């Protein structure tokens, strides 16, 4: 007769949980090793907070005009000067951050969701599904994004939602192509084949196994793409096809202030520096994510 159990066996943790804990630890370690990436995250948090709290921070209403104070330089009343209608540039730049970041995040979010879904389905099912979806992706990739957006905005008109729609339709195919390639590289892994053999539904296989293991390069693309969308938004607004004149937006501010660049260069310099700084910030964050991903891939290569 066997001896009675007198000790409690150690708690066993599933291998997946151990792997997740190890991966989380690697992420924290890699982020701590990159002070530039940490600074970028802090600056991004401050930027988003300033955009959200613009009504509390801005000293003036961005639409309030005062022709007696138009095209003035920096002063105690207007730290960054005024534009050609006497509106406070500091206030308009803060509210412009709201508009630019809202359009960028919405555009990238929609393009990311549609692109990853289409790319994952095309790679997973293969055959005629892959062929049809891939040809649709090729069709959208055949058009230059800015030209496609210009044509669409010319048809549907200006506006924030129209801008988001036009830019998202010109961006989603890039995400689909990248996601398809990533899923093709992992769809025949043992854990995916085991899930299929076990009878797990296709939807759960894609959500639980394929997407988490293929999404990181797509997330890096999304981070870098936010800066590109801000530039595209500014360019379209500069041409007068993006945001209506009454809404503060950096590209529209540059387009309206270019006629007064000699007498009041801050009309162009202030929003131009805002665009440059934000795009540079997202590029730094995207490159940081790429470096962290490359480091993690090197660490999991078996010796």
């Amino acid at each position: 007769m066997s001896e009675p159990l007198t000790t409690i066996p150690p708690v066993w943790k599933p291998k997946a949980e151990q792997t997740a804990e190890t991966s989380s630890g690697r992420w924290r370690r890699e982020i701590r090793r990159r002070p530039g990436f940490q600074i970028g995250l802090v600056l991004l948090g401050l930027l988003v907070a300033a955009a959200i709290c613009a009504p509390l921070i801005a000293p003036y209403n961005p639409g309030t005009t005062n022709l007696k104070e138009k095209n003035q330089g920096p002063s105690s009343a207007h730290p960054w000067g005024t534009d050609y209608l006497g509106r406070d540039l500091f206030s308009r730049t803060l509210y412009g951050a709201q508009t630019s970041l809202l359009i960028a995040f919405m555009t990238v979010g929609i393009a990311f969701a549609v692109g990853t879904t289409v790319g994952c389905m095309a790679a997973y099912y293969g055959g005629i599904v892959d062929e049809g979806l891939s040809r649709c992706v090729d069709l959208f990739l055949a058009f230059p994004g800015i030209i496609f957006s210009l044509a669409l905005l010319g048809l549907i008109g200006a506006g924030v939602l129209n801008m988001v729609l036009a830019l998202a339709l010109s961006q989603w195919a890039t995400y689909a192509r990248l996601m398809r390639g990533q899923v093709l590289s992992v769809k025949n892994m043992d854990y995916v084949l085991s899930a299929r053999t076990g009878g797990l539904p296709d939807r759960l296989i894609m959500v639980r196994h394929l997407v988490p293991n293929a999404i990181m390069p797509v997330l890096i693309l999304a981070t870098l793409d936010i800066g590109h969308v801000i530039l595209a938004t500014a360019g379209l607004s500069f041409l007068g096809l993006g945001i209506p004149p009454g809404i503060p937006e950096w590209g529209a501010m540059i387009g309206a202030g270019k006629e007064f660049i000699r007498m009041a260069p801050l009309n162009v310099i202030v929003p131009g520096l805002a665009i440059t700084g934000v795009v540079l910030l997202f590029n730094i964050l995207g490159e940081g994510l790429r470096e962290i991903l490359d480091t993690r891939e090197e660490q999991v290569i078996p010796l």
Side-chain angles (χ1 to χ4, degrees):
M1 185 174 180
S2 60
E3 295 292 333
L5 184 63
T6 57
T7 58
I8 299 176
V11 177
W12 176 78
K13 293 183 179 180
K15 185 176 180 180
E17 184 179 346
Q18 295 174 355
T19 303
E21 290 176 354
T22 304
S23 177
S24 176
R26 286 202 197 103
W27 273 102
R28 289 194 296 268
R29 183 173 64 254
E30 293 299 328
I31 291 175
R32 284 196 298 265
R33 290 175 52 189
R34 292 170 171 81
F37 187 75
Q38 297 177 41
I39 294 173
L41 289 176
V42 173
L43 291 178
L44 176 60
L46 293 175
L47 174 64
V48 173
I52 294 174
C53 300
L56 302 176
I57 300 174
Y60 299 94
N61 187 310
T64 301
T65 62
N66 186 353
L67 295 179
K68 295 180 180 180
E69 298 181 352
K70 65 179 182 180
N71 293 327
Q72 289 189 353
S75 64
S76 58
H78 303 283
W80 293 356
T82 59
D83 67 0
Y84 64 101
L85 292 177
R87 296 172 295 192
D88 183 64
L89 280 176
F90 177 70
S91 301
R92 289 186 62 78
T93 303
L94 275 179
Y95 277 89
Q98 274 189 345
T99 306
S100 297
L101 290 178
L102 177 64
I103 292 174
F105 287 143
M106 290 179 63
T107 298
V108 173
I110 294 173
F112 179 88
V114 174
T116 53
T117 301
V118 171
C120 186
M121 292 178 60
Y124 179 75
Y125 289 111
I128 189 172
V129 175
D130 185 19
E131 187 69 20
L133 292 177
S134 295
R135 297 295 76 78
C136 181
V137 169
D138 292 339
L139 178 63
F140 276 87
L141 289 176
F143 293 95
I146 191 67
I147 302 299
F148 182 85
S149 299
L150 277 171
L152 190 58
L153 284 172
L155 291 175
I156 63 179
V160 173
L161 293 180
N162 291 346
M163 173 77 81
V164 170
L165 176 63
L167 291 174
L169 285 175
S170 67
Q171 298 284 338
W172 73 270
T174 306
Y175 293 89
R177 174 61 58 84
L178 179 58
M179 188 64 179
R180 177 181 178 273
Q182 291 298 119
V183 173
L184 284 175
S185 66
V186 301
K187 65 178 291 188
N188 292 321
M189 294 292 184
D190 291 340
Y191 57 87
V192 179
L193 298 177
S194 298
R196 285 183 177 178
T197 305
L200 196 67
D202 292 342
R203 177 178 58 84
L204 293 181
I205 291 175
M206 287 187 280
V207 171
R208 293 182 182 179
H209 299 290
L210 293 180
V211 172
N213 289 283
I215 201 68
M216 280 308 303
V218 189
L219 287 175
I220 293 172
L221 174 63
T223 305
L224 294 170
D225 209 27
I226 292 175
H228 299 159
V229 171
I230 290 175
L231 285 175
T233 302
L236 292 171
S237 298
F238 179 83
L239 297 174
L241 292 174
I243 305 300
I247 300 177
E249 196 277 328
W250 294 333
M253 291 170 63
I254 295 175
K258 67 181 185 297
E259 299 179 4
F260 307 93
I261 190 170
R262 292 184 180 275
M263 66 179 69
L266 289 178
N267 280 326
V268 174
I269 293 175
V270 169
L273 288 178
I275 294 172
T276 302
V278 173
V279 173
L280 180 62
L281 173 61
F282 281 106
N283 286 343
I284 291 173
L285 292 175
E287 290 299 326
L289 281 177
R290 190 199 306 275
E291 292 176 1
I292 293 173
L293 177 64
D294 290 341
T295 302
R296 291 176 69 244
E297 287 180 343
E298 292 173 0
Q299 290 173 343
V300 298
I301 294 176
L303 297 177

